[in-house]
Amino acid sequence: MRSIFYVLLFFVGASAVAQSELLAKNYFDQGEFEKAVTIYEKLYKKSPHRTDFLQSLVEANQQLEKYSEVEKLLEEKLSSRAFDPRLYIDYGYNFALQGKDTLATQNYDLAIEAIKIRPNYAYSIGRSFEDYSLLDYAVTSYETAMKVKPDMDFNLYLARIYGEQGKLEEMFRKYLDLIDKNPSGKKIAQHNFSLYITEDPSNEANGILRKILLRNLQENPNVTYNELLSWLFIQQKDYKKAFTQEKAIYKRTEEDLRGVTNLAVITIAEKDYENATAIVNFLIENSATPEAKLQGHQLLMKIALETTPKKEYSKIEAKFEELLDTYGRDSKTYLLQIDYNHFLAFEMNKKETAIAHLKALSEERLTAYQEARVKMELADILVNDEKFNQALIYYSQIQKKVQSDVLAQEARFKVAQTSYFKGDFEWAQIQLDVLRKSASQLIANDAMQLSLMIRDNSLEDSTQTALKKYARADLLSFQNKNNEAITALDDIITNHKGEKIEDEALLKQGELFEKTEQYTKAEANYVKLIEFYNDDILADDAHFRLAKLYENHLQQPEKAKELYEQIIFSFSDSIYFVEARKKYRALRGDVIN
């Protein structure tokens, strides 16, 4: 019983200390420093080993300008046997607050001297200097430790401080020193470089990093410098120069084409098809296996699909057939076959042919994942052909086939989307409610957006007339029938003016106007949306799309800048916030991100 009593007593005491500490912090935060000092004095007296109590007591007294009280506290602690050399920094800073800079410097120097005796003090002393924004002394702390004990490495801390000080060349050099010692630090370096590097090659940081890397490459032809130069040129969207570096990397590694492949994918995504074609052709020429060459040809077909006029689509069809004749029509080419049959169904309107091809492919010896991918494309084509029930069967099979894969979640979303297309909003809503908790954030976001749209437009209209029209327009868009979709949305905008669905219709139609290169009509839709629905959930979408329209197609950068600024200040929780801030700063001409 006595032991239980002592345990209870301990917990009661600990609880009382925690409450007192919380109360003292609350007083401090509210500026009631006298009350905070009273409590911290009691806490420190009971627990003199608690350095956090001492620190809080020092700070509270300094706020009251009771510098002599702080001196007494710190001198007492400095005279004890187990003193911490960080106290010299606290002691020196107390002098600095009084304008006694000489005494402050003397104590800062004593902290540095402690590192010379015991280099392991460097981290805590350096961090303490940083806490007081004494960055030059923090640098000295870390550099002193590395001189005394060369196996210690504080380059990461030094690089970060140099960045805060605006010493870009020193910062880049320290990060490169870090990479030289530990190549795995490259990702950390690139992450921190991205805080200073912009798309503008004339940006100061870009120029400094480029010169350092080129100089280092001349002095020490390390492939890491080629990789970082390639990364830099990619940030600048100068894919031709990045390609030059990737070719140099390949020549030196002889067999590694991963960098070239990644660059090809990036360049295609950025729609720089001229450079992408050159990169992919290099990939094909230097690939050692048929599988790698096939991957290159798949990328070339993606470029062809984006660059070939519709009147010449028969050439693409012939090229697909040629590739399949060369590489076969089995599991090895299943991705190429998926691309081909998507093209046949959605671009050539040969749905029956595509469906027959994919059904035959699904009978091949495929892995569970490959079979699921094939059936996903097959189901999508059936939706395109408005054979909804058949499509739903395939989507359900995919969920069972790859239960633990994100593909299963995508299939569930497509069940919901297909049910929505066919007007079964209740079943769609049930599926979407499950997906809102999906492990995939992208799918969860899409599910939430569709769910909210169905719910919002079902409340005020029990017949769901406008929602059915909108779902039909959405299906037409999915089927690539853009002009028909635009007409269907016109009906909603004209006959359901002022209803919940109108903002959705304006945004969707604006996107389709962009897709069909009717940019002034898209502008009118977004302007109307902002004018009449600026407090609704789609307002940030309208601002962002209109800003990009002004920036990329209507050549009105000032208007684009104004809209990006509105997103920054009025839609801080928007998914477009980060991109809008980046675009705004670029248009404003900022040197550093």
Side-chain angles (χ1 to χ4, degrees):
M1 285 295 293
R2 183 175 293 180
S3 61
I4 294 173
F5 171 75
Y6 285 127
V7 169
L8 289 172
L9 193 65
F10 170 79
F11 281 112
V12 168
S15 177
V17 169
Q19 288 178 1
S20 295
E21 187 179 353
L22 189 63
L23 182 60
K25 186 179 184 306
N26 189 46
Y27 281 138
F28 188 96
D29 292 342
Q30 292 180 2
E32 298 185 54
F33 302 114
E34 291 280 5
K35 293 179 180 179
V37 164
T38 301
I39 299 173
Y40 279 129
E41 281 178 342
K42 292 176 182 177
L43 288 169
Y44 179 57
K45 190 174 182 180
K46 287 183 179 178
S47 305
H49 61 284
R50 290 281 298 270
T51 56
D52 55 335
F53 290 159
L54 173 62
Q55 194 67 41
S56 297
L57 185 56
V58 164
E59 289 176 15
N61 273 306
Q62 285 172 339
Q63 291 291 336
L64 296 167
E65 298 185 6
K66 292 184 177 180
Y67 303 119
S68 58
E69 291 295 323
V70 174
E71 283 182 37
K72 290 176 186 176
L73 280 166
L74 294 174
E75 285 171 0
E76 181 183 337
K77 201 70 178 174
L78 282 164
S79 63
S80 67
R81 289 183 178 180
F83 85 96
D84 187 331
R86 286 178 297 179
L87 292 168
Y88 285 128
I89 303 170
D90 299 327
Y91 196 43
Y93 189 72
N94 195 59
F95 284 125
L97 291 173
Q98 301 171 69
K100 299 176 180 180
D101 293 337
T102 302
L103 289 171
T105 300
Q106 288 174 1
N107 280 280
Y108 297 154
D109 289 342
L110 286 171
I112 300 295
E113 288 300 315
I115 296 173
K116 292 178 181 178
I117 299 168
R118 289 188 63 183
N120 290 339
Y121 280 138
Y123 175 76
S124 59
I125 289 175
R127 292 297 298 179
S128 188
F129 276 127
E130 286 187 63
D131 289 341
Y132 284 118
S133 296
L134 298 166
L135 299 183
D136 286 335
Y137 278 101
V139 168
T140 303
S141 300
Y142 298 135
E143 288 183 339
T144 299
M146 290 168 71
K147 285 178 183 176
V148 176
K149 195 174 180 182
D151 62 333
M152 298 188 84
D153 188 352
F154 290 103
N155 280 312
L156 187 60
Y157 304 101
L158 289 167
R160 178 174 44 77
I161 294 171
Y162 286 138
E164 291 176 21
Q165 292 178 315
K167 297 178 179 178
L168 299 179
E169 185 163 352
E170 289 93 331
M171 177 195 70
F172 288 134
R173 288 192 181 283
K174 284 299 175 187
Y175 277 124
L176 293 175
D177 287 345
L178 173 71
I179 295 170
D180 286 341
K181 292 181 180 178
N182 182 8
S184 64
K186 188 173 74 170
K187 287 187 178 180
I188 296 172
Q190 286 174 336
H191 171 75
N192 287 286
F193 289 170
S194 66
L195 301 174
Y196 303 89
I197 297 301
T198 72
E199 293 179 7
D200 181 6
S202 65
N203 172 40
E204 181 188 8
N206 292 48
I208 292 171
L209 179 57
R210 184 172 60 252
K211 287 177 183 176
I212 293 172
L213 289 171
L214 288 170
R215 191 180 302 128
N216 284 9
L217 198 56
Q218 288 176 343
E219 296 171 359
N220 175 22
N222 187 329
V223 74
T224 301
Y225 300 137
N226 295 105
E227 292 169 351
L228 288 169
L229 277 168
S230 176
W231 175 86
L232 173 62
F233 292 133
I234 288 170
Q235 308 315 300
Q236 296 173 181
K237 299 187 184 298
D238 191 339
Y239 303 114
K240 189 172 184 178
K241 288 182 180 177
F243 182 33
T244 300
Q245 296 303 319
E246 291 299 338
K247 283 190 287 187
I249 293 166
Y250 171 70
K251 286 177 182 177
R252 295 184 59 194
T253 58
E254 293 185 354
E255 57 183 23
D256 192 353
L257 282 165
R258 284 175 299 178
V260 179
T261 304
N262 291 336
L263 180 60
V265 171
I266 292 168
T267 311
I268 292 170
E270 291 293 326
K271 303 185 186 303
D272 183 353
Y273 299 123
E274 183 180 349
N275 281 311
T277 301
I279 295 166
V280 176
N281 281 329
F282 178 86
L283 185 64
I284 293 170
E285 289 167 12
N286 292 280
S287 293
T289 65
E291 291 78 12
K293 289 184 185 293
L294 174 62
Q295 184 184 16
H297 284 296
Q298 285 175 242
L299 292 172
L300 276 185
M301 292 310 298
K302 288 184 185 296
I303 296 170
L305 286 166
E306 294 294 334
T307 57
T308 305
K310 288 200 172 191
K311 62 184 180 181
E312 296 180 20
Y313 272 2
S314 58
K315 292 181 181 178
I316 293 181
E317 185 176 0
K319 183 62 179 177
F320 268 122
E321 286 289 341
E322 180 188 332
L323 287 172
L324 290 171
D325 286 342
T326 302
Y327 290 97
R329 300 170 192 265
D330 53 19
S331 61
K332 292 178 183 177
T333 60
Y334 89 100
L335 286 174
L336 182 66
Q337 292 183 70
I338 287 173
D339 288 346
Y340 177 37
N341 288 293
H342 182 91
F343 166 74
L344 288 176
F346 286 87
E347 302 297 343
M348 299 292 284
N349 199 28
K350 295 183 177 181
K351 300 184 189 72
E352 293 302 325
T353 302
I355 289 168
H357 285 170
L358 290 169
K359 283 183 176 178
L361 178 58
S362 67
E363 299 298 321
E364 293 284 338
R365 296 183 62 182
L366 305 173
T367 65
Y369 180 79
Q370 289 172 339
E371 186 181 341
R373 285 288 302 272
V374 171
K375 287 187 174 180
M376 185 77 84
E377 185 61 40
L378 181 53
D380 288 349
I381 294 170
L382 288 166
V383 171
N384 181 293
D385 204 25
E386 298 187 36
K387 295 176 180 176
F388 301 125
N389 292 333
Q390 291 182 47
L392 289 169
I393 291 170
Y394 282 114
Y395 289 137
S396 298
Q397 288 176 357
I398 293 164
Q399 291 179 66
K400 293 175 183 176
K401 181 72 68 175
V402 287
Q403 290 180 24
S404 59
D405 194 272
V406 70
L407 205 61
Q409 296 172 7
E410 187 181 340
R412 184 185 286 274
F413 176 74
K414 291 195 173 185
V415 167
Q417 188 182 52
T418 303
S419 301
Y420 154 75
F421 284 152
K422 65 183 287 197
D424 189 352
F425 302 124
E426 185 178 348
W427 181 241
Q429 194 69 64
I430 291 169
Q431 301 299 311
L432 294 168
D433 286 341
V434 174
L435 281 167
R436 287 171 68 171
K437 300 173 185 177
S438 168
S440 165
Q441 191 61 50
L442 183 62
I443 293 173
N445 288 341
D446 288 344
M448 183 176 295
Q449 190 173 357
L450 183 55
S451 174
L452 289 172
M453 201 266 290
I454 292 172
R455 185 170 286 121
D456 287 350
N457 293 290
S458 298
L459 293 173
E460 63 181 22
D461 180 10
S462 58
T463 63
Q464 300 174 318
T465 303
L467 182 58
K468 288 173 184 174
K469 289 181 180 180
Y470 186 87
R472 179 63 188 170
D474 227 350
L475 175 61
L476 289 168
S477 172
F478 178 81
Q479 293 170 322
N480 234 357
K481 297 175 181 178
N482 296 322
N483 291 326
E484 291 178 49
I486 287 169
T487 302
L489 291 164
D490 261 333
D491 175 23
I492 297 170
I493 293 166
T494 303
N495 297 313
H496 297 272
K497 193 178 295 292
E499 293 182 24
K500 267 280 189 184
I501 199 79
E502 186 183 10
D503 61 339
E504 297 278 358
L506 283 167
L507 184 69
K508 183 72 178 178
Q509 192 183 53
E511 292 171 359
L512 289 169
F513 280 139
E514 285 190 69
K515 196 172 180 182
T516 53
E517 299 183 1
Q518 300 179 69
Y519 300 122
T520 54
K521 288 184 178 180
E523 177 194 12
N525 274 41
Y526 298 144
V527 168
K528 188 175 180 180
L529 219 166
I530 291 169
E531 183 179 353
F532 293 105
Y533 296 96
N534 203 39
D535 295 326
D536 282 8
I537 195 169
L538 298 179
D540 61 329
D541 295 82
H543 277 81
F544 188 73
R545 294 200 74 94
L546 184 56
K548 289 188 72 177
L549 200 62
Y550 283 137
E551 182 184 7
N552 299 325
H553 298 292
L554 300 178
Q555 285 73 51
Q556 297 186 58
E558 283 303 314
K559 285 188 176 181
K561 188 173 74 171
E562 289 172 16
L563 286 160
Y564 287 134
E565 185 177 27
Q566 286 177 38
I567 293 172
I568 294 166
F569 290 108
S570 302
F571 303 97
S572 58
D573 58 346
S574 169
I575 59 171
Y576 305 113
F577 177 82
V578 174
E579 184 67 16
R581 183 171 60 184
K582 182 179 177 182
K583 294 280 188 182
Y584 172 72
R585 290 177 174 178
L587 287 170
R588 193 173 63 178
D590 288 6
V591 173
I592 293 177
N593 270 349

